[in-house]
Every structure is written in structure tokens, then in C-alpha cells.
Amino acid sequence: MISGAKNAVLPVLSATLINKGISRIINCPDISDVRTTMDILKDLGCKVKFIKKSPGNIIEVDATNVNKSKIEASKACLCRSSVTFLGALTARLKEAEVAYPGGCTIGERPIDIHETAMREMGIETTLNNTHIKTKVFRTDCNTEPTKNIYLKFPSVGATENAMLAAAGLEESVIIYGAATEPEILCLGNYLKELGAKIQGLGTGCIKIKGQKDYAKENLIFKIIPDRIEASTYFITAAAVGDGISVHGCIPAHCKETLDILRTMGCNIKEHKYKYDGQEQSVIEISDGAIRKKLKSPGVIIADAYPSFPTDAQSLILPLLAVAKGETYVIDKIFPKRFKAAEELMKTGAKIKHTESGIHITGRNHLKGNILYSYDLRGGASMIIAGLLAHGQTSVYDEDYIKRGYDGLTEKIRALGGDITECHVDP
Ligand code: UD1
């Protein structure tokens, strides 16, 4: 069963700050990035509870008494999405000071688009070597009732920050060049439940009419399933299983990954059923690597939604390494995100760097080795490589993987993978 989406729950948890009341967020994955975000909320004065429930944990945030607008580097550096507290604090307290975010080292991750968006909204924004600061001097503007802001690239984080900050302004804000990822819709839907008026979610042009304060006594909101976690298990199924099923995803959110697996020769069927009164999807995958039927898709280009996601780019590399034929992989979001490809070469994978990305020539099999995780998806990719490889593979630095996967080893075992988690003394 697929968990709630990491990249949706994190900005929604930041957004709970805006509500001078209690938000109950349903379907939260139990991952370390969520725990870090809960710690930040507590530090800002919220009461936060994690209620373990199967399926779908609940996080209850009481943000009635938020009393601090600063997030220190020691907390902000633990995950990328800490940057969305900038917009949320600006909306709630009309000022924020947030240290530069951390997150996976998958290439350049500047925050200039976030900064420009804040400025174009009329929010005073200053940066120094360690922090970014905002201040709102007034929340209405009679002379200029609509602020137009233009994102030079549809950055997911900058779109989220702009939406959050705009929710706390009284004039309308139109965001041009907005990201269209399902996680943006999820955040927008939370803000709508809170009372913000939002149009254009899922398009490149989002219009927001916010208000100065929000106070919803008991707001219940459900997080969408994680499309990248789902893609991880589709790819794992193609690597180790035959006729196995992945439950609880939204297939439309994973269309590109499923299409590529189909092109590679996998047989993929979709069924629907009712669970807990709600319609659920199940994806059944067969004819993958164990039947030796995989063939190269020729080229994979990772780009903004609805294209093939950059987060699934590292995940599919082990499959390409055993597929018949040659594949070019290009990542238009993070053009240098190929650390996992380099690590994969230790299993015998035939990979070369090209001017625009990498080139992979499929071979009959990979061989087990000692592999390292260098980031969240790269770590999961090493596990998929280990499942495909002949002999034993050990994957070190699993803390990266735990930032974003809830119950990974159990789920892989359920798909037929032979995996054990062990603790090694340093
Ligand atoms: C989010 C996701 C991450 C995913 C990425 C792209 C979260 C917590 N993380 O990251 O898993 O891989 O979207 O789908 O949701 N950029 C700038 N200036 C900025 C902001 C971004 O140049 O101010 C560039 C980045 O360097 C990158 C591209 O824009 O090349 C995309 O980044 P962005 O969409 O912002 O990714 P994140 O929100 O950091």
C-alpha cells in the first residue's frame, strides 16, 4: 500500500502554521523528513501529535499559539522543504527569518526564484550568508489590487512559497509560470479548505485571493498518495516480481513511469476496487526482468510534470542497465543528477557520461557489491540494483532513504525481494 506523498505532506505541514486552530492531516508517512518538520512546528510554538494508524497516520497540529518567526540553520538544514516555512511564517506572522534549506545534493538548488516571487508580491525580502528574511508592511493595497508575479522556471518549492505567502495577503496575487505537480494541487486544496480563494491549480497560472488571518477550529485534510514511492515499487516489481500488485496509488500521477515500463516490455494492468468506502487503484505488473523481457526505451527525458519525474530518474537506472539495447538519459530539472549512475557502475553496469546526460548499454546481469546512498532516490536505486544483481549487495547510509520511504524493507519483501536491514557498528 502506497503511503501519503512526502513532497505533499511537508508543505501542507508548513501551511498548518497559517491556521490559528487545529489541523488534522490524514495519511502522513512516518519518515524522518516528516519528524524534522514536526520538530520545527513545535519549536515555533505549535502543539503537534503523531497518531500512528494503519493505513495512514494522522498528524494533529494546533497552531493557535505560534510565537516565533525564526528557524535556525541546525533545523532548516535537515530537509529541503524547510524553505516553505518562509511563505507560511510570512502569511501567519507577517515576517520570517529562515536559514537556508538542506535536502538532497542532487545539483544546484538556489532560492532566487523564491526571493523574486516574494519581492514581486511587495514583501520586503533580504538575504545574508545564512538566512533569508521577509517582512510584510501592509496586507492590502488599494492602488494596486492585483499583484502579478512571474516565475522564470516552474520551481515546485518557489510556487509553494509564493502560494503560502499570497494566502496571507489581502490583495489578489496571480502566479505566472507556476509548477503543476500534483503536490501543488494538494497544498492549494489545503489552503482552499482553510478559506483562501484559489483558481487555476494544475495550470501554469494560479490566482490567489487570501486574507490576513485564518482560524479553522478543526480542519481535516487528506494527503495524496506518493507518486514517487509508487514508481519505486513499480520499478522494483519490474525488477524482481511477476504478476505482483501495487495498491493505493493514483495511476494518472504515475502515467509517464508506467508508459516507460510498458515500452520496456512490462505487462501492466490497472484495476479498481472499494476500500474503506473509497475507490482504490491497483497496478499489476508482470513480464519484467525475471522473464528477461526488458528492452531499452531508447531515451528517457526527466522534466517538469507531467513528464517523467527527475525523482524517478535515478530509480529506473538499474532496470536500464539490464534491458536489451542502449538508452540515453537526460535530466532537464537537475542536469547533473547522476551520482547514482556512477555508483551503479560498481555492479558492472555499462554507463558513460555524455554532453547532455548519460548513455547506458544493457547487459545480461549486474553483480552484487558494496554500494552507498548519496541521496534519497539514489539510495533507493541502489537497493533496486541489489535486488537485480547476482550475489549479495550491501547498501550503506540508509538514513538518506529513511528521509522519504515509510516501511521500505517490508514493502520490498512483500514484492518478493530478499532484503534485510542490519545495523553495522561504525
Ligand atoms: C522539489 C522536490 C524534489 C524534486 C523537485 C523537482 C520537495 C521537497 N522536493 O524540489 O523532490 O526533485 O521538486 O521536481 O518537494 N531553481 C532555481 N532557483 C530557485 C528554485 C529552483 O534555479 O529559486 C532550479 C533548481 O536548481 C532546479 C529546478 O529549478 O534545477 C527545479 O527545482 P525545484 O522545482 O525548485 O525543486 P525543489 O522544490 O527544490
Side-chain angles (χ1 to χ4, degrees), residues 83-104:
V83 75
T84 56
F85 278 104
L86 188 74
L89 279 168
T90 307
R92 172 66 191 268
L93 299 177
K94 314 306 168 203
E95 63 176 15
E97 183 172 354
V98 179
Y100 291 120
C104 288

Side-chain angles (χ1 to χ4, degrees), residues 312-367:
Q313 181 262 103
S314 326
L315 299 169
I316 204 159
L317 299 179
L319 273 194
L320 302 175
V322 296
K324 201 163 181 238
E326 299 177 24
T327 315
Y328 286 91
V329 182
I330 296 163
D331 194 324
K332 291 196 167 174
I333 304 293
F334 294 107
K336 295 188 182 145
R337 189 178 191 171
F338 291 115
K339 194 82 188 135
E342 283 161 25
E343 196 59 13
L344 195 57
M345 290 185 210
K346 289 189 191 164
T347 64
K350 280 196 198 162
I351 302 179
K352 281 192 298 207
H353 284 278
T354 67
E355 243 172 58
S356 51
I358 56 168
H359 172 263
I360 307 184
T361 308
R363 51 178 303 168
N364 279 343
H365 67 268
L366 305 179
K367 52 182 188 307

Side-chain angles (χ1 to χ4, degrees), residues 31-32 74 85 91 102 182 210 225 228 251 286 344 386 404:
I31 53 177
S32 62
S74 57
F85 278 104
I228 306 299
S286 53
L344 195 57

Side-chain angles (χ1 to χ4, degrees), residues 343 369-374 378-387 392-399 401 419-420 422 424:
E343 196 59 13
N369 207 333
I370 292 176
L371 303 176
Y372 286 86
S373 311
Y374 288 99
S381 170
M382 292 309 110
I383 289 182
I384 296 170
L387 293 169
Q392 185 172 303
T393 295
S394 306
V395 180
Y396 283 79
D397 293 342
E398 86 284 7
D399 280 357
I401 302 171
I419 182 167
T420 316
C422 23
V424 184

Side-chain angles (χ1 to χ4, degrees), residues 83 86-88 90 113-125 132 134 149 158 160-162 164-166 169:
V83 75
L86 188 74
T90 307
I113 305 175
H114 302 240
E115 184 201 345
T116 310
M118 296 285 166
R119 290 221 172 100
E120 286 178 348
M121 266 185 258
I123 297 168
E124 187 186 274
T125 308
I132 175 164
T134 59
I149 67 167
E160 290 166 349
N161 249 335
L164 288 161
L169 300 178

Side-chain angles (χ1 to χ4, degrees), residues 234 237 243-246 267-271 282-286:
F234 298 152
I244 59 179
S245 315
V246 179
N267 184 7
I268 297 178
K269 289 185 196 140
E270 182 189 335
H271 310 282
V282 51
I283 297 286
E284 221 178 82
I285 299 183
S286 53

Side-chain angles (χ1 to χ4, degrees), residues 25-274:
I25 310 301
I26 300 174
N27 200 28
C28 299
D30 191 356
I31 53 177
S32 62
D33 272 13
V34 161
R35 298 286 178 171
T36 301
T37 307
M38 288 171 63
D39 284 347
I40 296 176
L41 286 167
K42 283 180 198 161
D43 193 52
L44 296 171
C46 301
K47 287 188 197 140
V48 188
K49 266 197 259 172
F50 191 98
I51 303 158
K52 199 98 186 143
K53 211 169 162 276
S54 177
N57 309 304
I58 300 172
I59 298 180
E60 197 177 280
V61 183
D62 181 351
T64 313
N65 297 314
V66 173
N67 52 21
K68 196 175 152 188
S69 60
K70 182 169 179 175
I71 302 177
E72 305 292 352
S74 57
K75 296 219 157 53
C77 73
L78 296 175
C79 63
R80 177 71 187 172
S81 69
S82 58
V83 75
T84 56
F85 278 104
L86 188 74
L89 279 168
T90 307
R92 172 66 191 268
L93 299 177
K94 314 306 168 203
E95 63 176 15
E97 183 172 354
V98 179
Y100 291 120
C104 288
T105 39
I106 50 182
E108 293 287 309
R109 300 184 89 175
I111 53 166
D112 57 313
I113 305 175
H114 302 240
E115 184 201 345
T116 310
M118 296 285 166
R119 290 221 172 100
E120 286 178 348
M121 266 185 258
I123 297 168
E124 187 186 274
T125 308
T126 48
L127 277 87
N128 63 24
N129 285 342
T130 54
H131 287 72
I132 175 164
K133 260 184 175 181
T134 59
K135 191 153 184 69
V136 179
F137 285 101
R138 48 188 299 201
T139 64
D140 68 319
C141 179
N142 296 330
T143 50
E144 204 185 329
T146 300
K147 300 272 188 204
N148 294 316
I149 67 167
Y150 299 88
L151 308 187
K152 67 175 184 192
F153 183 87
S155 153
V156 173
T159 303
E160 290 166 349
N161 249 335
M163 288 165 69
L164 288 161
L169 300 178
E170 287 172 280
E171 63 261 47
S172 295
V173 173
I174 303 181
I175 308 170
Y176 292 97
T180 60
E181 271 71 0
E183 294 76 19
I184 300 284
L185 270 85
C186 190
L187 174 64
N189 287 332
Y190 172 84
L191 293 172
K192 275 163 96 169
E193 289 289 321
L194 197 55
K197 294 188 176 58
I198 306 186
Q199 292 167 310
L201 287 172
T203 75
C205 175
I206 300 177
K207 184 172 179 185
I208 302 181
K209 173 79 181 74
Q211 61 193 54
K212 202 171 169 192
D213 293 305
Y214 297 86
K216 273 262 167 123
E217 199 36 59
N218 187 10
L219 198 167
I220 298 174
F221 185 77
K222 189 169 178 189
I223 298 297
I224 54 170
D226 195 316
R227 64 195 167 99
I228 306 299
E229 191 202 21
S231 295
T232 307
Y233 297 121
F234 298 152
I235 293 167
T236 307
V240 300
D242 199 30
I244 59 179
S245 315
V246 179
H247 291 244
C249 62
I250 298 178
H253 291 176
C254 312
K255 186 177 175 309
E256 279 300 309
T257 310
L258 290 169
D259 283 351
I260 286 198
L261 290 176
R262 277 192 188 99
T263 310
M264 291 181 75
C266 292
N267 184 7
I268 297 178
K269 289 185 196 140
E270 182 189 335
H271 310 282
K272 296 221 181 286
Y273 67 103
K274 286 253 175 185

